[in-house]
Structures are given as C-alpha cells and as structure tokens.
C-alpha cells in the first residue's frame, strides 16, 4: 500500500544518514490542503541522536532518493510533509484497478478465529436487542477473512436455559402436550405461534408466581437431563423456533458455519466441572457450586453501615457454575462451550459479539477457563460488547405502547419504508429490493457508530438516500453500474485531469487503511465513514464531469476506468459491511 512505499523511501534515507535502525512512519496529513501525508517522527529521532529536530528533518529529506512520485519537504518545527505527484496518484489508481483486492494488503500471519454472534434464544421471539450482534458479527467475520484470518462463525443459540422449561410447562398447562403424557390423541405439531403465545405468558407468570417458577426450574432440569418426554418435546420446540431464527438471520444477511447452541455443549459440562473441581477451584456456597474469580484490586470492602449488607468496591462475585438443584447456568454452558471448541477447532482467539451489559458474565467465564486451563494461556478470549439501541428519548428503544419491538416488525417496517422511498424515486415496489435497501439502511446506521456506544435507532434518518447512509452508498454503486452498462468501450489508463480525480484516489487511500484500523478496533465505523467519503468524492466528480459524453478519447477512457476502480473499492467495502448492491434504485 502507498504508506509502506513512502515509509520505505524515508527509512532508506534514515539509514543513509547514519541513524542506524531507527525508523520513521508517516500518517495521513492533518492539513490535507498542504500535503497528503506527514511524518512527525523527527522530534523523537533528534532527541535520541542529541541533535536539532529541524536539521535532522532537513538532512533526511535531502537524502531521499530522487523520484518523480513524491515531493518531500520540511515544515517547521520539524515535520516532513509528503505530496503525491499526479504520476504517483495515477500509478496507484491503475495498480488498484488491476488488483482483485483493490490494493489492500492481507496480514502476513493468519489467525484462526472463532466468532460467536447471533445468539438468539430459542422459544423467545427475536427483538430489537438482537440486531447488533448479527450485524456486527457478520461484518467482523468478513473483515477478518478479508485480512487473511481463518474464521469460523457459530450462532450459539440460547437453547439450554430456563425459558425452555417455562415454555414447555406453560404448553403443558394449556393442555397442548397431553399426547406426550397420556398417549391419547395425535401427536401435536409444535408451532411457532404456540411458542409465541406460551413464552410471554410463562415469563409473566414467573415474576408473579414463585410456585410456577420453581416448577419451571424442575422442568428445565428434566430437559437438561434429557429425560423423556421432556427432552423430545424440547427438541420439537427448538426445531420450530430455529426455523424462524434462520429466516430472520437470512433476511439480515448473517450466515453461520455452525448452528450450534448451548445444548451442544451439554456433553462437555460434566467434563468441564471435573476439570475445575480437580484443580480445587470450585466449592459449594449455599448449595450452589461456585468458583472464585476475583483478582487483586477487586472486592474491596467498603465501610459497613449499621444493619446494611457488606458492600464492595470493584465487586467481582464468584462464578456460579451449578445451581442448588443441579441445573447448569449460562456460565456453565459458556465454559463447556469453550472446552468443546478447544477440543475441536482450537482457535487462536474466540470473540463474542454480545451486549456490553454482559461484561461481568464474560469476565467470570474467561477467568474460570484460564484458571482451570480449559483455555490455553496463549488463546485470546474477547468479549466485544456493544451498546444499546435507544429511542429518541435516550432510553432503550420501545414501541409506543412500551413493549420491546420484535425483529419481525422491524423488518416489515424497513421493507415498508424502503418501499415508499423507492416509489418516490419512481421504482416499482419489489419486496426483495425493499428488503435489501431497508436492511442496508439499518446496518449502516448501526455500523457507523462505534461498537461500544449506545445510539438512537432512527429508521427515517437511516433510510435517507442522501447523507451518510447505507442507501446512499448503494445508490452510488447503482449509478456507477448504470453508467458502465451504457459505456460501449473498455476503459483506458487512469490519469489525473483535475482535483476531482485526485480526491477520489486520496479517498481510496483512506478506505484502504480503514480495514486495518477497524481490524484493530474491532469496530466498523471507520470503514463506514471512509466508504461514505469515497462515495461523496465520486459524486463530486460525477456532478462536475460528463463521462460517456466526454469528447477526448483518452480522457473518456480514463474516466471509465476510474468508475470501475470506484466500483471495485466500494464493492469490496460493502461486502465487508455485508450490504448488498441492488440491481436498481
Ligand atoms: N443467548 C444470549 C443472550 O440472548 C447471547 C449468547 C451470546 N453468546 C455466548 N456465548 N454467551 O443474551
């Protein structure tokens, strides 16, 4: 990439000047009206050499090998500024057009990454809180792959918890499971509608009726012990629910290598607990099996007031790995899953794209696994916690009646709103197309925020065809495709005729470097912004120039190739963002 080429020239000079193994690196210019790149490293270099920084910078610039690509100069107090010549810009543009990766380098070292995202809960309807994980997870997966990692994705369904017992018990009480217990009548089909009715009912009862809650817990334990008919019914509920989850994830463009759930780790639970107890890490507290995970600086007792419970600064409670009644918990299945993953895939890193509010849970799980050696020392366990989707009131997004909004309703709303937009643009309604645009709007609205931050979920804003939105990027790509479809010639060599082209190439430099910074930050906002900046540089060019109508052959051919280049760079970025390019808009 361009930065490395400039760094190389610079450091050859550093060597030539006798500054040994010291290296300088450049960054994007903070004053683009003056230069394209800048180097701030001469201050440190001068200090280590005991010399004057300005003199050092001057010496280095004087010793750079003569070339017609880059113009180096020194700016006071001791910056080295770099300006790219038109020859260099055109040269880079032509190289990127010929390269299938658009000039973006892969990492030299590939890591094996298991990425855990999606995480829908079986028997419960997906809702707005389930949006960020599949959206971000899918894009991070694509980013890691693009950068050369070997990536395995696992949806890790929530299918081993209390909601199973609650739902099943409710269905039983509603008389829908009689067949399984008295063998009378026909075996009933367990439908999604049945689950959608039973779970909310049960969840409400659980809060009001301690007795019911207790029975649901027993029922859950029976499922977890694979006792019949409880387990057989459970499998049917799971099947009905997973079908719906698959449909939704497909609509959101998320796909997975593994459709495992917590239940798939159930066979590893005993083994994991044995490992933990063999190491002497677990003990019983109030009948439950727990593991201490606090580290120094945590659980510092606060002054206790009369009659109050003891409170702690930096509280880090023990991890609960078995309930009093012997049932496993969320932490248990996560620990067992790490054991399972390390017996099969042995990833270098496992990343969890899960609500930031689960931070404590993951800290506990990771610590247990490290202490027990279930996760090898060198393996990275990472929780990428995302922020909350808020309504315009700054509180978690709800419907007008105060309910959490179902994913199904969000998808329908997206289709409806995108459909209206299309109509106002004179494009006939088409469900697939509206879905593509609606989902892109939501994804870009989501991904353009830093992963850990809360943001306001504002579909109207996301759906605008102008401004920093998904549809705007799609629209740019569609427009380029339509011009290229009309061109009845191949492009030629790209040349720089005006600042509009120069700005496009410079926007591409930024886009190329965004992959690496997003990889490091594990957040895609940088790629969203850089893609938008490229689209917007392209729009300026497009508005200022006639392309196919250009009379000068050489220029026209250069323009066509430039369009192809922008299309390629946008398509690569949109692919990582998992945003489809529609046929028309
Ligand atoms: N099912 C969980 C939930 O809804 C998310 C699962 C995340 N992945 C994990 N390995 N814990 O909160």
């Amino acid at each position: 990439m361009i930065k490395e080429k400039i760094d190389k020239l610079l450091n050859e000079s550093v060597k030539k000047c006798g500054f040994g193994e010291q290296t300088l690196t450049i960054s994007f210019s903070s004053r683009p009206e003056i230069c394209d790149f800048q180097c701030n490293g001469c201050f440190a270099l001068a200090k280590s050499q005991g010399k004057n920084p300005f003199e050092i910078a001057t010496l280095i610039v004087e010793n750079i090998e003569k070339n017609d690509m880059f113009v180096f100069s020194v700016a006071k107090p001791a910056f080295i500024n770099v300006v790219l010549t038109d020859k260099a810009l055109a040269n880079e543009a032509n190289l990127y057009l010929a390269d299938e990766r658009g000039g973006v380098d892969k990492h030299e070292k590939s890591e094996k990454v298991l990425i855990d995202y999606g995480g829908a809960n079986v028997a419960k309807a997906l809702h707005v809180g389930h949006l960020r994980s599949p959206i971000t997870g899918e894009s991070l997966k694509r980013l890691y792959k693009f950068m050369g990692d070997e990536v395995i994705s696992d949806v890790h369904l929530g299918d081993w918890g209390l909601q199973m017992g609650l739902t099943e018990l409710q269905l039983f009480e509603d008389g829908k499971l009689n067949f399984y217990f008295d063998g009378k009548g026909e075996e009933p089909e367990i439908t999604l509608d049945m689950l959608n009715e039973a779970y909310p009912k049960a969840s409400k009862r659980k809060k009001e009726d301690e007795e019911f809650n207790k029975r649901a817990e027993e029922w859950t334990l029976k499922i977890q012990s694979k006792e019949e008919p409880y387990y057989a019914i459970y499998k049917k509920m799971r099947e009905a629910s997973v079908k719906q989850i698959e449909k939704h994830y497909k609509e959101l463009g998320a796909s997975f290598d593994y459709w495992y759930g917590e239940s798939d780790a159930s066979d590893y639970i005993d083994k994991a607990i044995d490992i933990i107890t063999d190491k002497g890490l677990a003990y019983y507290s109030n009948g439950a099996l727990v593991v201490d995970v606090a580290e120094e600086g945590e659980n510092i007792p606060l002054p206790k007031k009369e009659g109050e419970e003891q409170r702690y600064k930096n509280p880090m409670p023990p991890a609960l790995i078995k309930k009093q009644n012997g049932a496993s918990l969320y932490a248990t299945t996560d620990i067992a899953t790490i054991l399972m993953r390390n017996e099969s895939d042995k990833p270098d890193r496992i990343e969890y794209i899960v609500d930031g509010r689960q931070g404590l849970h993951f800290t506990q799980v990771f610590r247990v696994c490290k202490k027990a050696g279930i996760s090898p020392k060198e393996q990275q366990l990472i929780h990428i916690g995302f922020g909350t989707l808020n309504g315009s009131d700054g509180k978690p997004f709800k419907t007008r009646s105060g309910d959490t909004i179902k994913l199904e309703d969000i998808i329908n709303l997206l289709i409806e709103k995108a459909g209206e937009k299309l109509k106002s643009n004179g494009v006939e309604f088409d469900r697939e197309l509206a879905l593509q645009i609606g989902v892109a709007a939501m994804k870009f609205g989501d991904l353009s925020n830093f992963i850990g931050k809360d943001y306001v979920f504002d579909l109207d804003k996301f759906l605008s065809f102008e401004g920093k939105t998904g549809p705007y990027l799609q629209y740019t790509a569609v427009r380029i495709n339509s011009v290229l479809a009309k061109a009845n010639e191949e492009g030629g060599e790209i040349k720089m005729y005006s600042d509009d082209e120069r700005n496009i190439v410079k926007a591409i430099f930024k886009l190329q470097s965004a992959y690496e910074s997003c990889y490091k930050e594990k957040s895609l906002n940088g790629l969203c912004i850089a893609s938008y900046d490229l689209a917007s540089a392209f729009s300026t060019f497009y508005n200022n120039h006639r392309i196919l109508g250009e009379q000068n052959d050489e220029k026209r051919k250069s323009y066509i190739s430039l369009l192809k280049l922008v299309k390629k760079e946008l398509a690569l970025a949109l692919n990582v963002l998992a945003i489809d390019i529609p046929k028309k808009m």
Side-chain angles (χ1 to χ4, degrees):
M1 292 203 290
I2 188 70
K3 193 178 164 296
E4 280 74 41
K5 291 185 188 170
I6 303 173
D7 281 347
K8 189 165 167 264
L9 270 177
L10 208 54
N11 287 315
E12 279 166 3
S13 168
V14 171
K15 246 204 190 124
K16 211 157 115 194
C17 295
F19 302 135
E21 286 313 297
Q22 306 244 28
T23 51
L24 293 176
T25 61
I26 54 152
S27 51
F28 285 107
S29 165
S30 54
R31 298 181 63 191
E33 68 286 1
I34 295 178
C35 61
D36 302 319
F37 293 93
Q38 66 188 49
C39 168
N40 309 340
C42 292
F43 300 97
L45 180 59
K47 204 166 173 199
S48 74
Q49 301 288 326
K51 295 213 162 93
N52 172 305
F54 185 79
E55 280 167 22
I56 290 261
T58 311
L59 189 66
I60 290 169
V61 166
E62 280 170 1
N63 278 284
I64 288 172
E65 195 188 327
K66 291 283 160 285
N67 68 84
D68 53 3
M69 297 281 189
F70 313 106
V71 181
F72 291 86
S73 61
V74 182
K76 284 204 160 138
F79 298 108
I80 298 178
N81 290 346
V82 191
V83 174
L84 269 65
T85 64
D86 279 354
K87 187 172 171 192
L89 292 169
N91 191 37
E92 291 299 311
N94 288 303
L95 281 175
Y96 304 158
L97 180 59
D99 175 22
E100 58 167 15
R101 298 178 53 83
V104 182
D105 294 335
K106 253 191 202 174
H107 287 160
E108 271 163 33
K109 202 176 139 266
S110 159
E111 287 195 9
K112 189 166 183 180
V113 193
L114 193 141
I115 162 162
D116 176 320
Y117 64 98
N121 294 317
V122 165
K124 297 192 202 177
L126 278 105
H127 58 76
V128 63
H130 294 112
L131 276 174
R132 287 195 92 172
S133 179
I135 292 177
T136 303
E138 181 67 24
S139 289
L140 283 177
K141 173 183 84 181
R142 292 174 182 220
L143 175 67
Y144 296 165
K145 278 191 184 168
F146 186 58
M147 298 309 278
D149 284 337
E150 180 190 341
V151 194
I152 303 163
S153 52
D154 181 7
V155 69
H156 198 76
L157 299 171
D159 65 355
W160 212 231
L162 183 61
Q163 87 271 20
M164 310 303 312
L166 280 168
T167 313
E168 207 173 298
L169 178 58
Q170 185 63 48
L171 287 173
F172 174 75
E173 294 207 341
D174 289 343
K176 301 208 165 125
L177 303 177
N178 293 348
F179 168 85
Y180 295 98
F181 292 89
D182 60 18
K184 287 195 193 121
E186 255 182 60
E187 182 167 355
E189 198 192 331
I190 294 186
T191 64
L192 194 68
D193 286 342
M194 281 161 74
L195 301 179
N196 284 345
E197 192 194 310
Y199 174 72
K201 221 162 141 186
S203 147
K204 196 159 161 255
R205 274 181 78 189
K206 172 192 158 201
K207 289 176 202 129
E208 297 155 356
D209 182 348
E210 186 44 40
E211 176 59 31
F212 179 76
N213 189 22
K214 261 226 170 81
R215 284 180 62 213
E217 284 191 2
E218 284 161 18
W219 210 284
T220 306
L221 186 60
K222 286 181 179 159
I223 297 172
Q224 291 183 349
S225 329
K226 303 193 178 168
E227 193 178 320
E228 297 299 356
Y230 307 91
Y231 187 58
I233 303 166
Y234 157 77
K235 282 206 285 202
K236 294 205 151 203
M237 297 199 310
R238 189 185 189 280
E239 199 185 323
S241 189
V242 169
K243 259 192 212 141
Q244 176 74 355
I245 294 169
E246 278 172 348
K247 175 179 164 252
H248 282 326
Y249 283 154
K250 197 162 176 229
E251 286 169 328
L252 292 177
S255 64
F256 302 91
D257 298 310
Y258 297 155
W259 275 86
Y260 293 153
E262 295 166 349
S263 64
D264 289 284
S266 62
D267 291 340
Y268 292 82
I269 288 178
D270 288 344
K271 188 167 174 196
I273 291 184
D274 282 349
I275 297 174
I276 296 166
T277 34
D278 284 353
K279 288 246 157 77
L281 296 169
Y283 63 94
Y284 282 95
S285 164
N286 294 326
L289 194 61
V290 302
V291 179
D292 279 333
V293 291
E295 289 177 355
E296 205 164 304
E298 291 167 344
N299 286 350
I300 301 167
L302 288 171
K304 198 175 148 192
K305 290 193 196 111
E306 271 284 309
E308 252 184 27
E309 242 182 76
Q310 176 65 54
R311 307 215 296 169
Y312 298 92
K313 195 174 140 195
N314 291 341
M316 178 53 67
L320 213 64
I321 57 173
K322 224 168 217 326
K323 273 193 189 175
Q324 262 165 328
N325 72 353
S328 350
L329 295 120
Y330 187 37
T332 328
T333 53
D334 261 327
I335 294 167
T337 304
I338 293 179
L339 178 63
M340 175 175 92
R341 287 169 179 167
N342 283 334
E343 289 200 354
S344 51
D345 295 303
K346 302 186 176 42
D348 298 313
R349 354 193 264 269
I350 307 179
E351 299 194 1
Y352 299 81
I353 324 300
V354 185
D355 196 317
R357 289 170 293 189
Q358 292 191 23
L360 178 68
H361 163 76
F362 283 108
T363 305
Q364 293 183 315
V365 165
F366 296 169
R367 287 186 184 176
V368 171
C369 289
K370 289 294 178 196
K371 280 179 116 170
I374 289 173
S375 162
K377 244 203 213 103
E378 61 288 356
Q379 180 174 62
Q380 281 184 282
L381 300 173
I382 305 164
H383 170 212
I384 303 173
F386 51 79
T388 316
L389 298 194
N390 288 332
S392 47
D393 57 357
K395 296 197 185 115
F397 191 79
K398 294 260 157 80
T399 61
R400 239 172 263 163
S401 58
D403 298 325
T404 32
I405 180 162
K406 291 208 189 107
L407 188 60
E408 172 126 52
D409 297 333
I410 294 177
I411 290 176
N412 288 335
L413 196 67
L414 287 171
I415 293 175
E416 186 192 320
K417 292 201 173 208
E420 282 166 17
K421 278 271 171 190
L422 282 172
K423 226 161 136 196
S424 67
N425 273 17
V427 180
E428 205 186 314
F429 179 79
D430 170 335
R431 192 182 182 275
E432 269 314 293
L433 188 61
L435 179 69
Q436 255 183 353
I437 295 168
V439 166
M442 182 173 70
K443 283 189 176 178
F444 190 90
D446 186 299
L447 295 171
S448 54
N449 293 285
F450 184 71
I451 175 84
K453 244 183 66 191
D454 300 347
Y455 72 89
V456 174
F457 192 68
D458 182 350
L459 283 184
D460 285 318
K461 189 177 119 198
F462 299 167
L463 270 159
S464 168
F465 281 25
E466 285 107 47
K468 285 185 188 159
T469 67
Y472 174 72
L473 291 182
Q474 289 179 310
Y475 190 63
T476 309
V478 168
R479 197 149 67 164
I480 296 175
N481 282 342
S482 106
V483 177
L484 289 175
K486 280 187 215 129
N488 42 22
E489 60 186 336
E490 292 294 309
E493 195 189 330
I494 301 175
K495 292 188 176 151
M496 298 295 115
Y497 294 98
S498 75
D499 272 347
D500 293 338
E501 290 103 303
R502 293 181 190 105
N503 289 336
I504 287 180
V505 181
K506 290 174 194 176
I508 292 175
F509 294 154
K510 293 220 165 144
L511 180 58
Q512 290 173 332
S513 81
Y515 292 97
E516 182 57 28
S517 46
C518 289
Y519 185 96
K520 284 200 183 114
E521 286 172 7
K522 301 189 186 296
S523 177
L524 291 134
N525 51 315
L527 194 63
C528 289
I529 293 164
S531 306
Y532 168 76
D533 287 342
L534 173 59
S536 131
F538 171 77
S539 294
T540 307
F541 168 79
Y542 185 80
N543 293 334
N544 290 345
H545 303 272
R546 295 179 58 193
I547 295 167
L548 301 182
E550 170 58 50
Q551 294 301 311
N552 179 318
D553 286 352
E554 219 173 276
K555 234 185 192 181
R556 190 181 58 252
K557 287 188 174 160
S558 165
Y559 288 171
I560 291 174
S561 290
L562 188 69
L563 257 64
K564 288 188 176 169
L565 173 62
V566 175
K567 173 185 158 162
K568 167 177 258 166
E569 298 290 348
L570 271 185
L572 285 169
L574 289 176
N575 184 46
V576 168
L577 298 174
I579 289 179
D580 292 334
I581 299 175
K583 285 211 172 67
K584 56 182 178 208
M585 264 177 99

